[in-house]
Amino acid sequence: MTIEELQKIVYNAGIVGAGGAGFPSHRKFSDKVEQIVVNAAECEPLMMVDHHLLEYHLAEIAEALNVMCDTMDAREVLIGIKGKNMHLLDEAVVRSFKGTRIKIKEIPDVYPAGDEVMLTYETTGKIIPEGAIPIMVGVMVINVETVFNIYKALKNAEPVTEKYITIGGDVPEDITVVAPMGMKIKDLLNSVGYGNLEGKSVVNGGPMMGALVDIENDVVTKTTKGLLIFPTTHGVIQRIKQPVGVSMKRASAACCNCTMCTDLCPRYLLGYNLEVHKTVRAASHGEVKNTEAFLQNALCCGCGVCSVIACQQGLFPSKLSMEIKGALGKYGLRRENNVQPEAVREVRASRLVSSNKLIDRLGIRRYVKKSVKKIDTVFTPDTVYIQLKQHVGKPATATVKPGDKVKAGDVVALTAYEDLGTVMHSSINGTVKEITDRFVIIGK
Ligand code: SF4
Ligand code: SF4
């Protein structure tokens, strides 16, 4: 298979990065690579999607990895997984990797082990230059569920119409489900018996980097990975809810410039010139001429360590950093003085944040269950809302009109192949009811 053929298969199946912002996966297959790194870190507490996939589908994932390896001429595949999760891997399948290019690579049980810069370092020893992407050091980083979606596309030309999601937090039992794309989150939670949300809020994603769910309007998308329910008064919810303006005002009153936020920043520790205490200082004191203090935030991954672990004043430097990063992207402002760190900082090993410490600091120990159950409920929503923008790049445009009959798996919207985007498919058999700015709405 050629790279172009693989790209077409991945595009037609509508595959985007299932573990993050939804980068269209076919664009990752743009060049040959030396190493493929599979991100099996799942470092946000309470999340179990990738681990369930590795537990139940390791052989299929390996099959897709072999095709990717051949097509991209990669020397090896490194599955980066924490030691505490190794027991989930089928021993017979792991034995079959002996002498092949697929290797299991143990990574430390720290946060944010799944950040692609950190994961690349922990699995390959390479440090991605500031402002660069893994391909620039010959590496492609890909998420477990994304590889599984590629397997389904290669094997059966199956498009992405469903999503693995962990539902957990302040609930009696944490579960992983497979939900149809476009199902309302409210309906999904009702279907599993967790629909009573009085006094509670739902986070889409992990407790560190997740966003609040708009329960009336949000739907399952290609990047929905976790739905975590917490009391609205809980610190996790309060941190997410705090407006950036409030964070800035509090910083101007309470920041003592102690530098702890920088000292513990995982990217600073990898040698990056990202000193977030300088951003806090410049932003909260109106030092608008200190351009480097703003431009450096392009290097931030939004992990939140500076807010949750480092700052003893209860400030949220990551909010400022990510707000500024967003603005830099929006206005196309680039940092020109990026460098290639020669080595990680000497103090790095002693400053890594263990998962246990993170769980305690977040105040979520009581929500950590002994196990997370995978349930095989088949959800049958009457209506699905296929979101036109669930990925990085240009939104998709509807290819159907109200009244059209569609089957599960039919294309209902797409972004042109030449543009950055993907293809959307119906997840049910039904009739197109309406097309809005945000959705293709399909009813049974
Ligand atoms: S850790 Fe907190 S108090 Fe210290 S410099 Fe950073 S924002 Fe300011
Ligand atoms: S969120 Fe904070 S700790 Fe994480 S990379 Fe950004 S500045 Fe560093």
Side-chain angles (χ1 to χ4, degrees):
M1 183 181 296
T2 64
I3 287 181
E4 291 72 25
E5 285 165 346
L6 181 57
Q7 279 184 306
K8 275 273 159 71
I9 290 170
V10 171
Y11 167 79
N12 287 331
I15 299 171
V16 302
F23 187 80
S25 301
H26 63 287
R27 288 294 187 104
K28 282 202 172 185
F29 296 101
S30 56
D31 213 343
K32 299 198 168 188
V33 293
E34 282 173 40
Q35 293 157 299
I36 297 171
V37 172
V38 180
N39 188 349
E42 204 150 47
C43 59
E44 282 254 24
L46 309 177
M47 307 290 272
M48 274 302 285
V49 161
D50 292 338
H51 291 125
H52 279 305
L53 281 166
L54 286 169
E55 188 174 2
Y56 297 106
H57 297 290
L58 184 59
E60 293 96 321
I61 287 165
E63 203 175 317
L65 287 170
N66 276 322
V67 174
M68 289 161 57
C69 222
D70 287 341
T71 308
M72 302 182 78
D73 213 10
R75 157 163 70 83
E76 59 182 358
V77 174
L78 302 165
I79 301 179
I81 183 167
K82 295 176 179 177
K84 68 178 183 185
N85 296 318
M86 291 278 190
H87 67 281
L88 297 170
L89 305 177
D90 185 307
E91 285 179 21
V93 180
V94 172
R95 271 200 302 277
S96 73
F97 295 161
K98 204 164 175 217
T100 74
R101 287 167 296 180
I102 301 180
K103 297 173 182 118
I104 306 291
K105 181 82 183 174
E106 182 173 341
I107 55 173
D109 185 14
V110 296
Y111 178 84
D115 166 41
E116 66 179 10
V117 179
M118 190 149 161
L119 185 70
T120 299
Y121 175 69
E122 295 293 352
T123 52
T124 69
K126 296 172 179 173
I127 306 176
I128 298 169
E130 291 179 353
I133 52 176
I135 192 87
M136 291 173 181
V137 291
V139 173
M140 180 173 85
V141 178
I142 194 156
N143 158 270
V144 171
E145 190 175 4
T146 312
V147 180
F148 187 56
N149 286 336
I150 292 172
Y151 164 79
K152 292 195 283 186
L154 287 168
K155 192 83 178 171
N156 308 313
E158 197 181 317
V160 179
T161 59
E162 55 187 24
K163 186 73 186 72
Y164 281 72
I165 301 169
T166 298
I167 303 176
D170 188 13
V171 293
E173 184 180 45
D174 288 9
I175 52 176
T176 294
V177 298
V178 186
M181 208 61 72
M183 183 174 185
K184 280 215 159 181
I185 285 174
K186 185 181 175 181
D187 296 341
L188 177 61
L189 295 178
N190 269 326
S191 301
V192 297
Y194 295 160
N196 181 2
L197 295 172
E198 208 185 321
K200 295 181 180 178
S201 296
V202 185
V203 177
N204 180 352
M208 291 296 280
M209 296 178 73
L212 273 193
V213 168
D214 171 352
I215 202 66
E216 292 304 326
N217 297 305
D218 284 355
V219 303
V220 172
T221 70
K222 297 180 191 219
T223 57
T224 312
K225 196 166 180 179
L227 296 171
L228 303 180
I229 300 168
F230 296 108
T232 300
T233 51
H234 193 278
V236 167
I237 302 296
Q238 293 305 308
R239 174 172 45 83
I240 296 173
K241 273 181 142 176
Q242 187 177 102
V244 70
V246 173
S247 299
M248 193 129 96
K249 274 194 194 135
R250 292 186 64 221
S252 66
C255 175
C256 60
N257 215 22
C258 68
T259 78
M260 281 293 284
C261 45
T262 295
D263 295 343
L264 293 187
C265 169
R267 290 207 164 176
Y268 170 80
L269 291 171
L270 280 167
Y272 277 30
N273 292 303
L274 171 55
E275 297 176 291
V276 70
H277 72 281
K278 292 183 178 170
T279 303
V280 175
R281 168 97 201 162
S284 60
H285 286 71
E287 295 170 6
V288 290
K289 289 186 181 160
N290 187 355
T291 49
E292 174 56 16
F294 294 97
L295 290 171
Q296 63 167 356
N297 293 288
L299 305 176
C300 171
C301 67
C303 69
V305 164
C306 50
S307 299
V308 174
I309 302 287
C311 187
Q312 303 304 308
Q313 300 285 67
L315 306 176
F316 300 151
S318 56
K319 286 229 171 216
L320 297 183
S321 192
M322 287 305 283
E323 182 79 4
I324 294 164
K325 182 176 179 169
L328 294 175
K330 186 172 168 193
Y331 296 109
L333 296 169
R334 292 186 64 81
R335 184 173 184 254
E336 302 295 343
N337 53 340
N338 287 324
V339 298
Q340 160 76 75
E342 280 171 17
V344 301
R345 296 191 197 272
E346 272 180 27
V347 290
R348 179 175 184 264
S350 62
R351 291 188 185 167
L352 293 175
V353 177
S354 73
S355 296
N356 262 328
K357 182 171 183 174
L358 182 66
I359 286 167
D360 286 332
R361 195 56 75 83
L362 282 166
I364 57 169
R365 175 73 59 193
R366 62 188 177 280
Y367 304 130
V368 179
K369 319 291 191 303
K370 279 210 176 78
S371 65
V372 179
K373 208 166 147 192
K374 179 176 174 300
I375 60 164
D376 294 321
T377 308
V378 176
F379 301 98
T380 53
D382 289 334
T383 307
V384 292
Y385 302 75
I386 307 298
Q387 198 161 296
L388 295 169
K389 177 98 161 77
Q390 17 182 325
H391 55 277
V392 171
K394 245 180 138 173
T397 305
T399 54
V400 288
K401 55 184 185 322
D404 285 356
K405 301 263 183 239
V406 291
K407 291 204 184 80
D410 284 354
V411 174
V412 295
L414 57 80
T415 309
Y417 186 68
E418 308 70 56
D419 295 327
L420 185 63
T422 189
V423 180
M424 309 297 176
H425 304 80
S426 177
S427 56
I428 61 171
N429 298 339
T431 306
V432 177
K433 300 285 179 203
E434 195 183 345
I435 312 237
T436 70
D437 286 351
R438 189 174 168 194
F439 301 114
V440 172
I441 305 169
I442 301 160
K444 275 187 174 163

